[in-house]
Amino acid sequence: MKGKGDSGTQALDRALDLFEQVLRDRGRTPLARLAARLEIPVSTAHRLVAAFERRHLIARGARGHYLAGMGLADLAPDRRLVLIQASRPLLRRLARQEKRTAHLGILEADMVTYLVKEAGGGTKLFTRELMQLEAYCTGIGKVLLAGLEPAARERYLAGGPFVRLTATTMTDPAELRASLAEIACAGHAVDDAEMAEGLHCLAVPLHDGQGRVTAAISLTGEASPATEDARRALLDALEATAQAIESRLYG
Amino acid sequence: MKGKGDSGTQALDRALDLFEQVLRDRGRTPLARLAARLEIPVSTAHRLVAAFERRHLIARGARGHYLAGMGLADLAPDRRLVLIQASRPLLRRLARQEKRTAHLGILEADMVTYLVKEAGGGTKLFTRELMQLEAYCTGIGKVLLAGLEPAARERYLAGGPFVRLTATTMTDPAELRASLAEIACAGHAVDDAEMAEGLHCLAVPLHDGQGRVTAAISLTGEASPATEDARRALLDALEATAQAIESRLYG
DNA sequence: TTTCATTCTCTCATAATGTGAGCAAATGAA
DNA sequence: TTCATTTGCTCACATTATGAGAGAATGAAA
């Protein structure tokens, strides 16, 4: 009848519809009105709310008003953990396929934290999971910086100094600012031995439901791709994986 | 058959059982095992998980592993708001019944924040909702301090100075420490014009599911109860209300 | 106090719904 | 490759949710 993706869970779907309504409303609208909005009879709405209330997923406010229950706090997701577990299988596949090392990193206190490392080829890389590196000289770091709010980005740029690590490391804030703008526009970053000699890296951002950059993934190898076509193929695979992870996490 | 408190929501209950299992497990156990633990056939478990996954309440990790979805973050409860809305109707009733002013407060940065004020009698009190007061000289404040971990309590006591506001204000840390110990033991605090002349106040704590003190409620009037029996009745009513609020929020 | 409008709980006959075995395809590790 | 698991799907069946209705409870306003 509905032709939607649901099948055999109409009751659960209706219950969760109401659940989400109640939580989002934050106790402003009486249950009867919320139920009407979803075309759920009051009688049924009460039965459903009671079921959630038993588990402390919903709490009672003033007469007719309900809100999020404290039980939800216990179930709240650890964003880092979810990010790690949801992305790892996809990064592993990508790394093996491209015979390079895949990373996922997030920005924490102006540093990049590597949450996932999946080695695909023989490359021996010094990175470890949970290791922190400077942001300005890594592909993932630059993508994350490029995704910051302008104010936060400027604060970072003012926070220097940016120590030279290789011949290609960017140490001038102005140069870095221009580079970040370009990265934000292009949607990906290149790290050509800026962090360590002989390391080439390609990185793209991960967005949350509202389009904010929350993490980034990268592919690292000992040499740049031989041809422009090879580079393009690498980027495509990386972006496809980014898409896949985003879709696992959000819509 | 089961004789439990559920009625007409067996499908929903089973689905939420699985939901909670998945979330608590944090991706350690494959779905098949979790399902087995709840005596849910794999076939059914997949159908249910898919329903939650559609709403991003559950996300996919490695093959067979599922975890909390990012959608939960949006629905996370604002603890202050829940506390306010769940307690207000009960405090209002209490205030009217006892013809005194009822407050609910929490400890924030060593100060008491009054989240709820319900005036029952004619008493004109200077307090406002969201107003912050010193903790050492109010009933609610003393109950909250008494409920702190010993280390945190000592830190507070070392943080003085404790300014004298009335003739009965406690200004000596040692005296205050002894008083708090007594309060923790008795389960309630008395404020006899320690904050302002002519204000008598009785306060009791609110506990979360693990028994930690998270908030406190009080009844304030312009005079002490005339008799010991009256004082006892007041305390009983206050404790009954505390119980009722706790049961709304937790188990 | 006495309205009065809602909310809330319960029951019950009905049919709409979830159920779960079983099969086949997909997946990932060895 | 092989093998064990996971995953998605279908379908016949009866367990299950459903929602109207009535009465009790509640809280605000007069």
Side-chain angles (χ1 to χ4, degrees):
Chain A
M1 248 244 178
K2 288 202 173 173
K4 294 195 92 184
D6 59 334
S7 60
T9 52
Q10 299 174 51
L12 177 57
D13 282 325
R14 237 153 59 113
L16 292 178
D17 277 340
L18 182 61
F19 181 58
E20 291 191 358
Q21 280 287 321
V22 168
L23 263 53
R24 272 187 230 290
D25 186 69
R26 290 178 184 274
R28 280 189 288 267
T29 315
L31 180 60
R33 214 188 314 281
L34 289 180
R37 194 179 301 167
L38 297 170
E39 303 182 78
I40 296 177
V42 249
S43 175
T44 303
H46 275 103
R47 177 157 17 97
L48 296 178
V49 167
F52 286 105
E53 204 187 348
R54 255 176 257 132
R55 296 166 178 273
H56 303 289
L57 295 177
I58 283 182
R60 218 168 260 247
R63 172 157 249 254
H65 297 252
Y66 295 84
L67 17 85
M70 293 296 192
L72 269 175
D74 306 335
L75 304 178
D78 175 347
R79 302 182 74 92
R80 284 167 122 231
L81 191 65
V82 174
L83 214 45
I84 292 173
Q85 299 209 41
S87 67
R88 188 186 299 286
L90 299 173
L91 290 176
R92 173 169 301 178
R93 182 158 51 192
L94 175 67
R96 291 183 179 178
Q97 191 179 295
E98 302 295 337
K99 295 202 165 34
R100 290 181 170 241
T101 299
H103 284 117
L104 178 143
I106 61 176
L107 207 54
E108 286 183 333
D110 283 354
M111 300 277 286
V112 172
T113 305
Y114 284 86
L115 295 182
V116 179
K117 171 185 182 178
E118 283 293 332
T123 315
K124 268 216 165 179
L125 219 45
F126 64 94
T127 54
R128 293 271 170 80
E129 293 188 352
L130 298 185
M131 176 182 273
Q132 294 206 121
L133 290 178
E134 291 292 344
Y136 66 94
C137 55
T138 64
I140 285 183
K142 291 194 294 178
V143 165
L144 292 171
L145 291 174
L148 285 178
E149 301 282 315
R153 187 165 52 236
E154 283 307 318
R155 208 176 318 124
Y156 177 86
L157 288 170
F162 305 110
V163 179
R164 173 170 303 286
L165 297 171
T166 70
T168 51
T169 306
M170 276 185 283
T171 59
D172 175 23
E175 184 190 4
L176 191 52
R177 181 183 295 111
S179 172
L180 293 181
E182 202 179 330
I183 288 166
C185 176
H188 69 268
V190 175
D191 161 16
D192 240 319
E194 292 165 34
M195 169 74 217
E197 301 293 353
L199 280 189
H200 179 86
C201 168
L202 219 51
V204 300
L206 291 183
H207 306 88
D208 67 8
Q210 281 77 47
R212 286 172 303 219
V213 174
T214 57
I217 62 174
S218 70
L219 274 175
T220 306
E222 285 167 341
S224 307
T227 67
E228 174 58 25
D229 277 0
R231 204 192 68 93
R232 189 69 234 174
L234 221 54
L235 186 57
D236 284 350
L238 194 57
E239 280 175 342
T241 301
Q243 278 267 184
I245 296 174
E246 282 175 9
S247 119
R248 278 202 172 191
L249 294 174
Y250 314 97
Chain B
M1 253 245 176
K2 286 201 174 177
K4 296 196 90 181
D6 58 336
S7 61
T9 51
Q10 300 174 51
L12 177 57
D13 281 327
R14 239 153 57 112
L16 292 179
D17 278 341
L18 183 61
F19 181 58
E20 290 191 358
Q21 279 287 321
V22 168
L23 262 53
R24 271 188 229 288
D25 185 70
R26 291 179 184 274
R28 279 187 289 267
T29 315
L31 180 59
R33 214 187 315 280
L34 289 180
R37 195 179 300 167
L38 297 170
E39 302 183 77
I40 295 177
V42 244
S43 175
T44 303
H46 275 101
R47 176 158 18 101
L48 296 178
V49 167
F52 287 105
E53 204 187 346
R54 254 176 258 133
R55 296 165 177 274
H56 303 290
L57 295 177
I58 284 183
R60 217 168 261 247
R63 174 156 247 254
H65 297 252
Y66 295 83
L67 18 87
M70 292 299 190
L72 269 175
D74 306 335
L75 305 178
D78 175 346
R79 302 181 74 91
R80 284 167 123 230
L81 189 67
V82 174
L83 213 45
I84 293 174
Q85 299 210 42
S87 65
R88 188 186 298 286
L90 299 172
L91 290 175
R92 174 170 302 178
R93 181 157 51 190
L94 174 68
R96 292 184 179 178
Q97 190 178 295
E98 303 296 339
K99 294 204 169 27
R100 291 181 170 241
T101 298
H103 284 117
L104 178 144
I106 61 176
L107 207 55
E108 287 182 334
D110 284 354
M111 300 277 286
V112 171
T113 304
Y114 285 86
L115 294 182
V116 179
K117 171 185 183 177
E118 284 293 332
T123 316
K124 268 216 163 180
L125 218 46
F126 64 93
T127 54
R128 294 271 169 80
E129 294 189 350
L130 298 184
M131 176 182 273
Q132 295 206 121
L133 290 179
E134 291 292 343
Y136 67 95
C137 56
T138 63
I140 286 183
K142 291 195 293 179
V143 166
L144 292 172
L145 290 175
L148 284 178
E149 301 283 315
R153 186 166 51 238
E154 283 308 318
R155 208 175 317 125
Y156 178 86
L157 288 169
F162 305 111
V163 178
R164 173 170 303 285
L165 297 171
T166 71
T168 51
T169 305
M170 275 186 284
T171 59
D172 176 24
E175 184 189 6
L176 190 53
R177 181 183 294 110
S179 172
L180 294 181
E182 202 179 327
I183 288 166
C185 177
H188 68 268
V190 175
D191 161 15
D192 240 319
E194 294 165 34
M195 167 76 217
E197 302 291 355
L199 280 188
H200 178 86
C201 167
L202 218 53
V204 300
L206 291 184
H207 307 87
D208 67 8
Q210 280 77 48
R212 287 172 302 219
V213 174
T214 56
I217 62 175
S218 70
L219 275 174
T220 307
E222 285 167 341
S224 306
T227 69
E228 174 59 23
D229 277 0
R231 204 193 68 93
R232 187 71 235 173
L234 219 55
L235 187 58
D236 284 350
L238 194 57
E239 279 175 342
T241 301
Q243 278 266 183
I245 296 174
E246 281 175 9
S247 120
R248 278 202 174 191
L249 294 175
Y250 315 98

